[in-house]
Amino acid sequence: MTFADCLKTAVEGGELKPEDARRLEKDFKRFRDQFANNSAATADSEAKRALAELLKADSAHQKRKAKLAVSSAKRIAADVMSYKNPKGEQDVAAAAQDLLEHFGTAPYSSVEGRRKAIVGMAHARMEDALYHFRRSALAGDLARHNKADLDNVLREALGENTGDASAKHFAKVWEDTHEWLRRRFNAAGGAIGKLERWGLPQHHDARALRKAGLVAWKENIRPLLDLSRMKHPLTGKTVDAGELDEILDGIWLNVTTDGWSKREPSRQVFGKGALANQRADHRFLIFRDADSWLAYQRDFGGGGDIFAAMMGHINGMAKDIAAMEVLGPNPGATIEWLKQIVRKQAMMKTAGQKSAFAGDALRAPDLANAAERKIDSLWGSIRGTLETPVNGKWASGMAATRSLITASVLGSAAVSSFSDIGTTMVARQFSGIGAKGALPDLVKAFGKTTRREAVAAGLILDNAMHVFHAQARYVGTLDGPGWASFLADRVLTFSGLTPWTQAGRHAFGLAFMRTAAENAGKSFDALPDLLKSTFARYGLRAADWDRMRRIPMHDMGQGTMILRPQEIAERLDDRLAERFLEMIQGETEYAIPNGSNRSKIMLVDQNRPGTFLGEVLRSFAQFKSFGAVFIVLHGRRIHGMIAGNETRKAAAYAGSLLISTTLFGGLSLQLKGMAQGRDPQDMVDPAFWGAAILQGGGLGIYGDFLF
């Protein structure tokens, strides 16, 4: 019986799906062609052997993913079912949402928290490269320092010897970073083969690929590739010309159809498939040299920005790794499973049975519907699908308009942000690091040395993370045409808001690490109560602290010691280091509210850009993102204290927040007025203090509108 007959019999017997049979037959013919010079019997035998090796490797990978999925499901179920809300009740709906994003309200890692921690650790690895290629103070991303050196870095990364020692060093730094990310991705269930002299990821512009067409695209890319170095991600064997042709067909179809070429319409909710099965395409294609990579990026990748390609790869890998580590190899399937858990618990409560669903039994189905919708919205925001335009031209035009409005009205936003001193003092006190020294720490954080120490400690460098997709505190994400985003970004930078925000976040993070180092001599039980409570909120226990406090501290200079995640990772393990960093970054949001997925969906829900309602909501919410995140963070914290019968504590926290932000909000109003040539306002006038409350209490520029 021939191989084709065997496949036919298996399909007819229901042992094999028709699409799998077609794939196997195609692989068999391809392997057989490799041995065409041998006898027919030998060719068949060798083809079967090669196919068997491929299937064995694939089977081993599937088994490993299955084991990871099972262990992830057990861990998630335990976390969700043991979760307690501030009232002390089980609440699976809140637990499921906190699994995606939280700021100290759950004792386990969230997807978004893990993502930020991974990005921070990647930035720490590349700190000297980030500084060497830092943005120009005048032209931003358009004119980076030492930008000409990037070409040599690319050449070194692709194995060319440029004779440039600096480029060789930065290429090695990049290689170490992307290899670290590759190993993390694979450990979470992925299958990305190790490639020597890989270089950089390539971006595929779907519109450019569609415009060229499949045949022309393949004719353009084929001579740019180094076939001898392209390996199968599972078997590690070099691909041949025939296999390359099929792979290029698959890549073109997948990019131009947004993944629809690989799936059939069904009743199931799906994305592009398990994350563990993605990312390989981006590392599979290896270009012959730097000129080939640049040529492809110019014609089919939307440009040849080498630095942006590096940062984009870090961001994308961090997002996928975090999702897989927290939710398992197929996070999309886990999301559906979580929604079913929420639904089941709600229905059990409705039936009068024991349930882990918080809420009135009669309203449980409606509350479950709302929880499922919020889970979908949060997941869509984290994955970026909520920002995928439905109508690209309209979305781009509206985004450009909003960027121009931002540039025209937020020139004095830095003065408005003086209230950050108030929120920082309150957040420092609540987290246990003390309000004393908040202002001197912030001033020091503007210095080059302190900024570099902060990045090396894992505190994210925002302008490297976004690169022409800048995050603006008062308006959310700056998107749309490059020129409009650039203009708004430059206004926010020149006004001082962007440097102020970055310095404030770095100052808080370093202060937390310094406080941890100062208390390293104490056992967990002997720690100050507020600091111990902060550790507990993020799931860091006595055993974790005892391990961390015994490692050597890092000297920032002048005798200032800090406990950094880097030393924890090197001497203990990555996960503990990232949980520590996740805690610091989470508490930083309370000090310098900057943005969250929860606040984003509160404003635009599931309405995507490029739709009428989506654009209306984004325009309406343009200057409300800061107020929204302020409410989501501090409002939820105060609500939690009240729900937990800590009314006095809630009142003290709310009072401290109101007084401090109002005072600094009033200062902002007076300074802006004097800068515009007006006399100071009468501080006896109640209207002034109303404006100060708005100015300092998370509603930003709306305080100005009272005058």
Side-chain angles (χ1 to χ4, degrees):
M1 183 182 291
T2 65
F3 186 74
D5 290 336
C6 290
L7 293 176
K8 183 179 179 181
T9 301
V11 171
E12 290 174 350
E15 298 173 356
L16 196 63
K17 294 180 180 179
E19 58 268 27
D20 290 333
R22 288 193 294 270
R23 177 175 59 83
L24 288 172
E25 185 173 14
K26 183 181 291 187
D27 286 338
F28 177 78
K29 288 181 178 179
R30 176 169 51 77
F31 286 133
R32 196 181 188 285
D33 289 341
Q34 295 178 17
F35 304 101
N37 294 331
N38 298 331
S39 66
T42 301
D44 283 349
S45 176
E46 290 295 329
K48 289 177 182 178
R49 182 187 59 77
L51 184 59
E53 289 181 4
L54 175 61
L55 292 176
K56 183 179 179 180
D58 184 64
S59 176
H61 176 57
Q62 296 303 328
K63 287 180 181 178
R64 189 170 68 88
K65 285 200 302 178
K67 288 182 179 179
L68 287 169
V70 170
S71 63
S72 296
K74 289 180 179 179
R75 170 180 48 78
I76 292 169
D79 287 340
V80 169
M81 300 309 291
S82 64
Y83 179 95
K84 296 290 192 296
N85 65 21
K87 293 182 179 180
E89 304 170 334
Q90 279 188 294
D91 192 342
V92 293
Q97 293 165 36
D98 277 359
L99 198 62
L100 299 180
E101 181 183 59
H102 73 77
F103 299 93
T105 52
Y108 46 74
S109 289
S110 69
V111 173
E112 185 64 4
R114 181 71 60 83
R115 180 191 69 83
K116 290 180 179 178
I118 293 172
V119 170
M121 295 296 277
H123 282 194
R125 288 171 173 268
M126 293 190 65
E127 188 281 321
D128 57 347
L130 296 183
Y131 178 75
H132 189 75
F133 299 114
R134 63 194 181 279
R135 297 206 304 179
S136 163
L138 181 63
D141 292 319
L142 288 180
R144 294 190 168 277
H145 288 266
N146 308 301
K147 190 173 184 178
D149 294 351
L150 282 168
D151 283 351
N152 278 350
V153 173
L154 174 60
R155 297 181 192 283
E156 290 284 350
L158 285 163
E160 300 177 34
N161 186 3
T162 64
D164 184 340
S166 177
K168 188 180 292 294
H169 165 71
F170 291 126
K172 182 64 168 61
V173 168
W174 165 242
E175 181 183 357
D176 291 344
T177 303
H178 72 66
E179 176 61 15
W180 173 71
L181 291 169
R182 184 192 71 86
R183 290 196 302 268
R184 286 286 292 269
F185 184 84
N186 285 355
I192 301 178
K194 179 174 174 57
L195 301 170
E196 299 297 334
R197 298 178 287 117
W198 167 59
L200 292 177
Q202 70 288 327
H203 173 68
H204 303 291
D205 186 335
R207 290 171 296 181
L209 267 63
R210 292 191 198 104
K211 184 178 180 180
L214 174 60
V215 175
W217 176 74
K218 290 200 297 186
E219 289 177 353
N220 273 276
I221 193 173
R222 194 179 287 111
L224 301 176
L225 299 174
D226 186 348
L227 186 59
S228 66
R229 293 172 52 219
M230 293 166 61
K231 312 288 185 181
H232 192 284
L234 293 178
T235 66
K237 292 188 174 182
T238 304
V239 302
D240 57 28
E243 189 175 9
L244 175 63
D245 198 61
E246 291 181 10
I247 291 171
L248 291 179
D249 286 345
I251 292 175
W252 189 89
L253 280 171
N254 197 39
V255 171
T256 57
T257 64
D258 194 27
W260 277 93
S261 65
K262 295 184 178 180
R263 57 183 190 243
E264 296 295 330
S266 71
R267 292 179 182 272
Q268 293 182 336
V269 178
F270 47 62
K272 295 182 179 179
L275 282 181
N277 299 332
Q278 298 176 30
R279 291 267 162 212
D281 285 356
H282 298 281
R283 290 182 59 93
F284 175 77
L285 299 178
I286 301 181
F287 290 85
R288 292 183 180 277
D289 49 37
D291 292 333
S292 299
W293 186 90
L294 290 168
Y296 182 82
Q297 293 303 307
R298 182 183 61 248
D299 296 337
F300 297 103
D305 190 332
I306 297 169
F307 187 84
M310 292 178 178
M311 296 303 104
H313 183 69
I314 289 173
N315 294 342
M317 287 289 283
K319 183 166 64 174
D320 288 354
I321 292 167
M324 291 165 62
E325 287 184 347
V326 175
L327 300 177
N330 192 348
T334 304
I335 293 296
E336 294 304 310
W337 175 64
L338 283 170
K339 288 159 57 180
Q340 291 173 29
I341 291 177
V342 171
R343 174 66 57 182
K344 178 180 178 179
Q345 293 296 325
M347 294 302 101
M348 288 173 64
K349 184 152 190 155
T350 302
Q353 298 181 25
K354 184 178 180 181
S355 170
F357 188 89
D360 179 11
L362 295 177
R363 295 181 57 228
D366 292 335
L367 293 172
N369 289 335
E372 287 183 9
R373 183 178 179 85
K374 185 166 285 188
I375 290 171
D376 280 335
S377 298
L378 266 175
W379 179 239
S381 179
I382 289 170
R383 293 304 300 163
T385 56
L386 288 187
E387 294 305 316
T388 303
V390 174
N391 183 313
K393 288 187 177 180
W394 191 22
S396 180
M398 292 298 293
T401 301
R402 287 192 291 272
S403 291
L404 291 175
I405 293 173
T406 297
S408 66
V409 303
L410 287 186
S412 60
V415 182
S416 298
S417 63
F418 279 177
S419 60
D420 286 348
I421 301 173
T423 55
T424 294
M425 293 173 69
V426 171
R428 284 170 63 122
Q429 187 66 34
F430 187 84
S431 63
I433 60 178
K436 184 179 178 181
L439 186 57
D441 284 347
L442 193 152
V443 173
K444 289 179 185 175
F446 279 96
K448 178 185 73 175
T449 301
T450 305
R451 184 168 62 250
R452 295 194 65 178
E453 284 283 358
V455 176
L459 303 178
I460 293 172
L461 183 63
D462 287 337
N463 63 40
M465 185 175 176
H466 298 295
V467 189
F468 272 136
H469 190 81
Q471 192 75 16
R473 296 177 62 194
Y474 294 121
V475 299
T477 301
L478 295 178
D479 207 349
W483 62 268
S485 299
F486 173 76
L487 181 61
D489 175 65
R490 290 296 83 202
V491 169
L492 294 174
T493 299
F494 292 150
S495 71
L497 177 62
T498 299
W500 170 273
T501 301
Q502 183 71 90
R505 296 175 71 80
H506 282 174
F508 182 90
L510 289 174
F512 201 115
M513 294 181 194
R514 185 181 67 232
T515 301
E518 290 169 351
N519 286 275
K522 300 176 182 176
S523 68
F524 189 79
D525 290 337
L527 288 175
D529 289 341
L530 290 173
L531 184 61
K532 184 165 57 178
S533 175
T534 300
F535 275 83
R537 285 199 305 274
Y538 289 86
L540 288 166
R541 307 303 182 191
D544 299 318
W545 172 245
D546 282 340
R547 293 173 67 201
M548 291 192 297
R549 71 191 184 93
R550 288 185 168 88
I551 66 173
M553 303 294 142
H554 173 73
D555 189 351
M556 284 182 58
Q558 298 180 338
T560 301
M561 310 300 289
I562 60 174
L563 174 58
R564 298 195 313 178
Q566 281 64 34
E567 282 72 31
I568 299 174
E570 291 170 4
R571 295 175 178 269
L572 300 175
D573 62 74
D574 283 343
R575 296 297 175 86
L576 182 57
E578 286 169 9
R579 285 169 61 200
F580 179 60
L581 184 55
E582 189 174 338
M583 173 181 65
I584 294 171
Q585 291 174 340
E587 291 301 296
T588 299
E589 289 298 331
Y590 290 97
I592 312 290
N594 200 36
S596 73
N597 294 287
R598 288 177 179 269
S599 60
K600 185 187 300 183
I601 65 171
M602 186 173 80
L603 295 172
V604 300
D605 196 28
Q606 295 184 1
N607 298 286
R608 288 165 56 188
T611 63
F612 176 75
L613 186 56
E615 293 303 330
V616 168
L617 288 174
R618 278 168 174 74
S619 298
F620 171 76
Q622 181 170 6
F623 297 114
K624 298 177 178 63
S625 64
F626 181 66
V629 72
F630 195 95
I631 293 169
V632 164
L633 294 173
H634 293 288
R636 187 182 182 190
R637 177 169 277 180
I638 293 169
H639 173 267
M641 295 179 202
I642 295 173
N645 293 319
E646 296 180 301
T647 308
R648 283 190 177 181
K649 190 175 180 181
Y653 186 92
S656 299
L657 194 64
L658 177 64
I659 292 171
S660 61
T661 56
T662 298
L663 289 174
F664 284 107
L667 175 62
S668 296
L669 286 175
Q670 297 287 35
L671 290 175
K672 283 193 287 186
M674 289 187 287
Q676 294 166 6
R678 297 198 303 262
D679 291 333
Q681 297 175 37
D682 183 3
M683 295 175 64
V684 179
D685 185 356
F688 170 81
W689 292 109
I693 291 173
L694 290 176
Q695 185 77 52
L699 295 178
I701 65 168
Y702 290 99
D704 295 339
F705 295 164
L706 292 185
F707 299 95

